């Protein structure tokens, strides 16, 4: 099968909060790219495609030490507890997405070395660096 995604998706397990009209849905970030993310929520979301939401990604277990990354999103698909969003009205370089992807790509015990190299190459290509 041919990969149709424009950007690589880095796997993650960061805690997330999706806010829509004052209501908050919590869950886990399954993966993230420069233009969107896949979320696994605690329960099925009643959000339709095209719905605008604020995504908060908890970067540190203690929010007092490091506030969550906040990105405006639009729902693109919902399947039970999985929800796909695309990033809207943001500057990729200024949104913190690159910093988050670089944080997610750090080597951890048991992480596949080929996967780390792939992510590093992808970031270098995206940032036009050698």
């Amino acid at each position: 099968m041919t990969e149709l995604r424009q950007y690589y998706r880095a796997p993650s397990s960061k805690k997330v909060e999706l806010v829509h009209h004052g209501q908050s849905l919590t869950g886990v970030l399954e993966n993230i790219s420069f233009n969107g993310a896949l979320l696994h929520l605690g329960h099925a979301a009643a959000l339709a495609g095209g719905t605008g939401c604020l995504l908060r990604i908890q970067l540190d277990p203690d929010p007092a030490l490091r506030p969550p990354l906040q990105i405006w999103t639009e729902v693109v698909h919902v399947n039970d507890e999985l929800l796909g969003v695309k990033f809207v009205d943001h500057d990729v370089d200024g949104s913190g997405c690159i910093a988050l992807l670089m944080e997610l790509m750090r080597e951890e015990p048991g992480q596949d070395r080929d996967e780390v190299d792939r992510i590093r190459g992808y970031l270098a290509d995206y940032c036009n660096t050698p």
Side-chain angles (χ1 to χ4, degrees):
M1 178 189 254
T2 303
E3 178 66 50
L4 300 177
R5 291 188 176 123
Q6 181 180 3
Y7 296 114
Y8 170 77
R9 291 187 168 265
S12 176
S13 59
K14 301 280 185 192
K15 291 182 180 181
V16 296
E17 177 184 21
L18 193 66
V19 181
H20 174 68
H21 290 298
Q23 292 189 327
S24 174
L25 300 168
T26 58
V28 175
L29 180 66
E30 289 286 320
N31 62 53
I32 186 169
S33 74
F34 289 119
N35 66 343
L38 180 64
L39 316 174
H40 185 263
L41 303 176
H43 51 60
L47 298 171
T51 302
C53 301
L54 178 64
L55 174 63
R56 292 184 180 136
I57 302 170
Q58 194 60 51
L59 302 175
D60 195 293
D62 183 356
L65 295 177
R66 188 172 178 194
L69 173 65
Q70 299 188 110
I71 306 171
W72 286 104
T73 65
E74 181 180 302
V75 174
V76 291
H77 64 86
V78 181
N79 184 1
D80 295 322
E81 296 176 1
L82 291 175
L83 188 127
V85 296
K86 69 177 180 178
F87 302 145
V88 295
D89 296 331
H90 82 291
D91 171 14
V92 170
D93 295 327
S95 71
C97 291
I98 291 175
L100 178 59
L101 283 170
M102 291 177 79
E103 182 176 320
L104 293 173
M105 73 175 214
R106 72 176 184 264
E107 293 183 56
E108 297 179 4
Q111 189 173 21
D112 185 326
R113 181 74 183 152
D114 291 337
E115 186 71 5
V116 172
D117 289 342
R118 179 179 175 205
I119 297 169
R120 286 185 176 144
Y122 175 75
L123 286 170
D125 288 346
Y126 181 81
C127 298
N128 293 318
T129 58

